Amino acid sequence: MNTSLLLVAHGSRREASNDEVRALTTRLRTAADDRFHQVDCAFLELASPLIPGGLVRLIQGGAERIIVLPYFLAAGRHVTEDIPAEIAEVRADHPEVDIVLNPYLGTADSLPELLLSLIAY
Amino acid sequence: MNTSLLLVAHGSRREASNDEVRALTTRLRTAADDRFHQVDCAFLELASPLIPGGLVRLIQGGAERIIVLPYFLAAGRHVTEDIPAEIAEVRADHPEVDIVLNPYLGTADSLPELLLSLIAY
């Protein structure tokens, strides 16, 4: 079974912020090498594609399993309710595709080391 | 000159999200070992301490230099305007302390690897 990855960000009225997510997705695709069939991003609101559109695009690209990775720092309502609700709608339309919600960025064990690596002073 | 670290998050009405930041700060303090004189966190809004209060607490603790590390994913108005404005006020009151604004979390080179490390499936 092939697996695709969808990075899901909040989305911003400021298009440069959305472009930061798109650029990160390009770096993520490179870093993932052959681990995933497809790597793409989607947004909860305010930017394109929205989550359903992003999932459907991966399904049209042949995805059999999709891992949704929330690019969020805290387990607020967006992570615990809104993203699962968006996923549930697409699941209902595409029961043949296994859509898995991954833990969000803020749960990463190595966040402290990443933050320390950022400090140049 | 001793250096202290202040992790600055947005702050949330949901106290559990603020507690996630406080718990991360504890892990950051441990990971930093002896690299910093003090490690603490503050919030732009909605949670305590706010940025001025967090900076003053470090100064009262003897900080000679403070690195402010924005726990933000994108360079929105909060990162480019609001946090610098809060810092500027404390700088004016405490010119003897060197307060440095560090690049924000979203600029970390190794974010793709961190995201990939999160995927358990």
Side-chain angles (χ1 to χ4, degrees), chain A:
Chain A
M1 184 187 284
N2 70 53
T3 301
S4 291
L5 177 61
L6 189 69
L7 185 70
V8 169
H10 185 281
S12 171
R13 283 185 186 80
R14 190 175 160 277
E15 196 55 29
S17 294
N18 303 324
D19 285 341
E20 281 190 74
V21 175
R22 296 183 184 111
L24 174 63
T25 303
T26 299
R27 290 162 55 206
L28 190 57
R29 192 177 292 124
T30 301
D33 200 11
D34 289 339
R35 185 165 163 195
F36 298 105
H37 180 236
Q38 306 163 89
V39 175
D40 218 331
C41 65
F43 300 90
L44 180 62
E45 57 186 38
L46 301 169
S48 177
L50 297 173
I51 296 172
L55 288 170
V56 167
R57 190 157 73 182
L58 292 175
I59 293 169
Q60 288 172 343
E64 295 167 336
R65 188 168 65 152
I66 301 172
I67 294 171
V68 175
L69 175 46
Y71 190 56
F72 284 73
L73 294 174
R77 188 173 42 81
H78 292 323
V79 167
T80 60
E81 297 176 30
D82 299 341
I83 294 175
E86 299 282 343
I87 290 174
E89 282 191 29
V90 177
R91 261 196 204 118
D93 289 340
H94 299 273
E96 75 286 5
V97 181
D98 184 20
I99 306 178
V100 180
L101 180 56
N102 199 80
Y104 60 98
L105 169 61
T107 64
D109 285 339
S110 52
L111 260 177
E113 288 73 19
L114 184 84
L115 290 166
L116 292 173
S117 78
L118 261 175
I119 300 169
Y121 306 99

Side-chain angles (χ1 to χ4, degrees), chain B residues 62-120:
Chain B
E64 295 166 337
R65 188 167 66 150
I66 301 173
I67 294 171
V68 175
L69 175 46
Y71 190 56
F72 283 73
L73 293 175
R77 187 171 44 79
H78 292 324
V79 168
T80 60
E81 298 176 29
D82 299 341
I83 294 174
E86 299 284 341
I87 291 175
E89 281 191 29
V90 178
R91 263 198 203 115
D93 289 341
H94 299 273
E96 75 285 5
V97 182
D98 183 20
I99 307 179
V100 181
L101 179 56
N102 199 78
Y104 60 99
L105 169 60
T107 63
D109 284 339
S110 53
L111 260 179
E113 288 72 21
L114 184 84
L115 289 167
L116 292 174
S117 78
L118 261 176
I119 300 170

Side-chain angles (χ1 to χ4, degrees), chain B:
Chain B
M1 182 186 285
N2 70 52
T3 300
S4 291
L5 177 61
L6 189 69
L7 185 70
V8 169
H10 186 281
S12 171
R13 283 185 186 80
R14 191 176 161 276
E15 196 55 28
S17 293
N18 303 325
D19 285 341
E20 279 189 74
V21 175
R22 296 182 183 113
L24 174 63
T25 303
T26 300
R27 291 162 54 206
L28 190 57
R29 192 177 292 123
T30 302
D33 201 10
D34 290 338
R35 185 165 165 194
F36 299 104
H37 180 236
Q38 306 163 90
V39 175
D40 217 331
C41 65
F43 300 90
L44 180 61
E45 57 185 38
L46 301 169
S48 178
L50 296 174
I51 295 171
L55 287 171
V56 167
R57 189 156 75 182
L58 292 175
I59 293 168
Q60 288 172 344
E64 295 166 337
R65 188 167 66 150
I66 301 173
I67 294 171
V68 175
L69 175 46
Y71 190 56
F72 283 73
L73 293 175
R77 187 171 44 79
H78 292 324
V79 168
T80 60
E81 298 176 29
D82 299 341
I83 294 174
E86 299 284 341
I87 291 175
E89 281 191 29
V90 178
R91 263 198 203 115
D93 289 341
H94 299 273
E96 75 285 5
V97 182
D98 183 20
I99 307 179
V100 181
L101 179 56
N102 199 78
Y104 60 99
L105 169 60
T107 63
D109 284 339
S110 53
L111 260 179
E113 288 72 21
L114 184 84
L115 289 167
L116 292 174
S117 78
L118 261 176
I119 300 170
Y121 306 99

